[in-house]
Amino acid sequence: LLSDTHFLVSLSAKCPSFHSILLVLIGYALTGMSTAHAGTYSGGTGTSGDPYLIANLSDLEELSNTSGDWVAGTYFELTGDIEASSTSTWNGGLGFSPIGTSGYPFLGSFDGGGHVITGLTINRPSGLQNMGLFGQTGAGSIITKVGLEDISVTASQWAGGLVGYNN
């Protein structure tokens, strides 16, 4: 990538599968989705033996904004309770941006460790669907031992506290 909006593309005719991989990466770049692991969580490397650590609301927001971390084989662990009432004013009142979308479902593993997220707000009433802490999950995703209290989720279709839509 040359800058936030410019990038150089070079294709090789010797490897057809390379073209497919590169086109996927270009698609991520054009849609604003991150393809790299964030590396800005409170710890961990994202493996099963060393999961990314979600210790606070900033870590949770980082996960919601980094679709490159939603892939299969990426692991997360919630390390404590999170108070999320400030999300009610995020994004011009739309609140928290769900983890996983219809185009990029969450396919990783999330271990809540028995902790609770309190006060989360997601307010997407007009034409938006698949809303929840995890907007959309796909085959193989694993979400365990996470509690939600005093949350508000609004969507035009397919809303849930934990998962808006499981495909």
Side-chain angles (χ1 to χ4, degrees):
L1 290 177
L2 301 174
S3 72
D4 288 342
T5 57
H6 299 90
F7 54 91
L8 177 65
V9 176
S10 175
L11 296 176
S12 169
K14 295 179 183 177
C15 182
S17 64
F18 173 78
H19 291 111
S20 298
I21 293 168
L22 185 59
L23 291 176
V24 168
L25 293 176
I26 291 169
Y28 275 110
L30 292 176
T31 60
M33 298 300 228
S34 171
T35 59
H37 292 291
T40 57
Y41 302 105
S42 288
T45 59
T47 65
S48 61
D50 187 29
Y52 285 127
L53 302 179
I54 307 298
N56 53 50
L57 189 54
S58 293
D59 289 339
L60 195 62
E61 181 180 25
E62 181 69 26
L63 175 55
S64 79
N65 290 327
T66 311
S67 62
D69 287 344
W70 302 346
V71 298
T74 306
Y75 296 80
F76 299 89
E77 181 180 331
L78 189 60
T79 62
D81 294 344
I82 294 179
E83 207 301 302
S85 61
S86 64
T87 59
S88 65
T89 61
W90 288 10
N91 300 309
L94 296 175
F96 182 81
S97 181
I99 302 162
T101 66
S102 58
Y104 303 95
F106 179 79
L107 302 173
S109 297
F110 187 93
D111 178 356
H115 299 289
V116 177
I117 298 170
T118 304
L120 186 73
T121 297
I122 301 169
N123 182 29
R124 314 289 169 110
S126 300
L128 296 173
Q129 57 192 28
N130 306 347
M131 296 294 136
L133 174 61
F134 293 86
Q136 183 163 332
T137 56
S141 63
I142 299 171
I143 303 168
T144 61
K145 300 181 278 184
V146 59
L148 300 171
E149 292 181 357
D150 299 324
I151 66 165
S152 174
V153 178
T154 304
S156 65
Q157 190 174 15
W158 298 309
L162 186 60
V163 176
Y165 185 81
N166 180 44
N167 189 10

